[in-house]
Amino acid sequence: MRAFPEGFVWGAATAAHQVEGGNSSSDCWALEHANPSVFAEPSGDAIDQYGRYADDLAILAALGLNAYRFSIEWARVEPEEGVISMAALDHYKRLIEACWTRGLEPSATLHHFTTPRWMARQGGWTSPKIADAFARYCGVVAEHVGDDLASAATINEINIPALVRRSRMLPDFSEAHRKAAREALGAEPEVFFMFAGTEGYAERAIDAHRKAREAIDAASPDLAVGMTISIQEEVSEDDDNARAALKERRAAIYDPFYDAAQDDDFVGVQTYTRMMTFRDGRTGRPKGAEKTAMGYEYRPQALAAACRDAAAKTGVPILITESGYSGADARRCHFIQGALEGVHKAIADGVDIRGYYYWSAFDNFEWMSGYGQKFGIIAVDRTTQKRLVKPSAALLGAIATANALDVEEGETVVLSETGAPVGTG
Ligand code: BGC
C-alpha cells in the first residue's frame, strides 16, 4: 500500500456560480443573458446546490471523502454596494455546519470568477477600487463564519486573467457583443474576472489578495488563508528562442503570484495539463498528444510537476485545490490514479502537500462552454436534478478511506429517489 500522510485532506471541489443556480446579482449572469453572448448557454438553476446542499454533502461523505471545497458568492452576500444579506451569510453558515456534521472539513473560496454587478459597473477587476471593496466583503464573511472554516482561499486562480490575455484565449468580442454586454451589465466585458488581465492586473489582484487576507486575519486570526493559482506543467521545445519565451511567460503568469504567496499559510495548486512553449513563442499541446474533451493534453503527471514548482517557488505548504478531467469516466479513473501516484512520489521526496480536491464533485456549469463539459465524479440530470455517482467517485472515495493508493475497487453509493445516499452496494 502506498500510504499518504496521516490527516491528509481528501475532497472534491465546486464553485458557487457553477452549482448553486440563480446567481442573478452577479456579472456573469448578466453576460450569459447578453444577446449575443460569449457564453454557450445561461447557468439558470445550475444543479440547484443552494437548495440541495445537505443531500450533496451526504453523498460526498458516504463516498468516504473528508473535505469539501466550495465558494461563497460575493453577489449573494453583498447584492448591492454596502447592503449585506444576513440570509445569505446564514445560508453559508448552515452549509459549513452541515459539512462538519457529515465529517467533511469545509474549505471556502471567497472569489471564484464572479463579482457583484454593482462592482462590475465600477470597473470590476480592471479597477483599483476592487481591492478595498473585496477586502470589506471578506472581512464581513470572516466575522460570520471564519472560525468555522478549516481553510480559506481569497481569489481562485488569481493568475488566470494574466494567462488568458497572454495565451490569446480572450473571446473575440465583436461590436455587437460589446453593445450587448453594455446593455446587460452596464460595463465592457473586460470587467469580468477572466477577461480582466489588462495593464496593471497583477498589482491590482495582489493588492486585493493582501487586503482581503488582512481583513480575514483581523476577524479570524487562526484561519489558514491563501490564494489559488492555475499552475500547469510548463515545458519548452529544445530551442533557445523557446526557452526565452517560456522564461518570459513564467515572469508574466507565475512569478508575481508565487512571490505574493510566500507570505501566506498555504498555496492552492490548480492543474489540468501540460503546456509547451514553441520556438515561435506560441504555447499549446505537444504534437500528437492525447486530448481531453476540453482540448487539453491528457497529462495526469502534470499535477506533481506543478506541486514541485509551487513548493520550490513559494516555500509554503500546498493544498491541491483543483485537479480534474473532462471526458469519459473510465479515463477519469485513470487520470485520478495517475495524478495521485505523482503526488505520492512528490510527498515521499519531501514536498509538503497537505491535501487533494478533485475538480469537480459534480458535473456543472463550465463557464463559457456551458453544461457540455463533464468534469464531475457525480453526474446530474438537470431536468430532475437527480445525482448519479460515477465509478470515479467510488474510486476516489476508496482511496480517501484507505488514505492510500492500491485500493480495491470502491463501493458504489446507492442513492434514493431524491438523490440522497441510502447505503453502499
Ligand atoms: C476553474 C473552474 C473550472 C475548471 C475547469 C478552473 O480553471 O477554477 O471553475 O470549472 O478550471 O475548466
Side-chain angles (χ1 to χ4, degrees):
M1 281 279 233
R2 285 169 289 179
F4 281 79
E6 208 184 307
F8 197 76
V9 172
W10 291 105
T14 61
H17 189 79
Q18 294 178 271
V19 296
E20 286 181 346
N23 187 22
S24 56
S25 301
S26 70
D27 55 356
C28 195
W29 180 277
L31 291 176
E32 291 161 23
H33 291 273
N35 185 15
S37 169
V38 293
F39 286 79
E41 57 185 317
S43 52
D45 284 340
I47 61 161
D48 186 27
Q49 192 170 88
Y50 205 78
R52 292 167 197 262
Y53 68 88
D55 282 351
D56 283 350
L57 296 174
I59 300 172
L60 298 174
L63 288 169
L65 301 184
N66 62 30
Y68 182 51
R69 173 177 179 244
F70 59 94
S71 78
I72 293 179
E73 182 58 51
W74 184 5
R76 287 192 196 273
V77 172
E78 191 177 4
E80 292 296 339
E81 186 168 9
V83 178
I84 300 298
S85 165
M86 285 309 297
L89 286 170
D90 286 347
H91 165 84
Y92 290 113
K93 192 151 184 103
R94 284 193 298 274
L95 186 151
I96 291 163
E97 277 165 14
C99 285
W100 288 118
T101 311
R102 288 164 181 78
L104 300 166
E105 67 164 67
S107 178
T109 299
L110 278 300
H111 186 275
H112 195 125
F113 295 173
T114 46
T115 304
R117 287 184 191 210
W118 60 262
M119 183 65 233
R121 284 195 294 265
Q122 295 179 47
W125 290 85
T126 62
S127 163
K129 287 188 196 160
I130 192 79
D132 289 328
F134 178 59
R136 194 180 59 221
Y137 144 76
C138 288
V140 168
V141 172
E143 258 171 45
H144 283 80
V145 299
D147 292 347
D148 306 327
L149 291 168
S151 58
T154 53
I155 302 169
N156 179 69
E157 295 193 342
I158 188 166
N159 61 333
I160 208 83
L163 191 148
V164 164
R165 272 273 138 176
R166 211 192 143 73
S167 317
R168 302 200 187 89
M169 281 154 62
L170 207 61
D172 196 5
F173 299 114
S174 64
E175 196 36 52
H177 279 112
R178 292 192 168 280
K179 186 163 172 284
R182 270 178 235 131
E183 275 168 19
L185 177 61
E188 295 294 327
E190 281 79 5
V191 303
F192 183 59
F193 182 76
M194 281 190 228
F195 310 150
T198 51
E199 194 57 34
Y201 169 75
E203 291 74 22
R204 281 195 301 281
I206 290 168
D207 186 32
H209 167 69
R210 291 215 163 108
K211 288 183 168 151
R213 202 191 51 212
E214 275 166 29
I216 297 169
D217 284 348
S220 186
D222 295 333
L223 179 59
V225 182
M227 58 173 118
T228 84
I229 310 183
S230 168
I231 308 171
Q232 310 315 315
E233 180 183 2
E234 298 282 348
V235 292
S236 72
E237 276 187 317
D238 188 13
D239 169 271
D240 281 347
N241 283 345
R243 276 185 285 272
L246 176 55
K247 194 162 176 233
E248 210 201 299
R249 173 178 165 83
R250 284 183 177 283
I253 66 175
Y254 296 118
D255 294 352
F257 306 100
Y258 276 157
D259 288 350
Q262 289 172 10
D263 302 327
D264 290 343
D265 300 313
F266 69 89
V267 59
V269 170
Q270 310 204 161
T271 307
Y272 286 85
T273 190
R274 170 169 71 170
M275 296 298 286
M276 174 164 275
T277 299
F278 300 101
R279 45 178 68 87
D280 63 2
R282 281 181 315 108
T283 49
R285 274 191 318 269
K287 267 199 205 91
E290 177 186 340
K291 275 194 277 183
T292 70
M294 286 293 278
Y296 305 151
E297 181 191 6
Y298 176 84
R299 177 84 180 162
Q301 305 91 317
L303 180 58
C307 289
R308 288 174 191 269
D309 194 50
K313 304 280 172 44
T314 65
V316 295
I318 287 173
L319 260 186
I320 297 163
T321 37
E322 289 183 26
S323 162
Y325 166 85
S326 175
D329 197 58
R331 209 70 190 123
R332 176 174 300 101
C333 290
H334 187 261
F335 185 89
I336 291 175
Q337 186 79 35
L340 288 174
E341 280 169 10
V343 171
H344 184 269
K345 174 105 191 7
I347 294 173
D349 290 345
V351 182
D352 186 1
I353 305 173
R354 306 277 173 97
Y356 165 92
Y357 291 88
Y358 176 80
W359 181 273
S360 177
F362 302 90
D363 288 339
N364 63 41
F365 180 69
E366 179 51 32
W367 306 110
M368 272 134 19
S369 312
Y371 290 98
Q373 293 292 336
K374 311 279 186 203
F375 278 93
I377 50 174
I378 300 167
V380 179
D381 175 335
R382 291 189 58 253
T383 313
T384 59
Q385 292 292 0
K386 267 181 88 167
R387 278 52 173 156
L388 184 74
V389 174
K390 304 181 193 179
S392 55
L395 171 71
L396 182 60
I399 293 173
T401 306
N403 197 30
L405 290 170
D406 316 310
V407 290
E408 293 293 309
E409 204 177 297
E411 285 177 313
T412 312
V413 174
V414 180
L415 303 180
S416 70
E417 272 301 285
T418 61
V422 289
T424 49

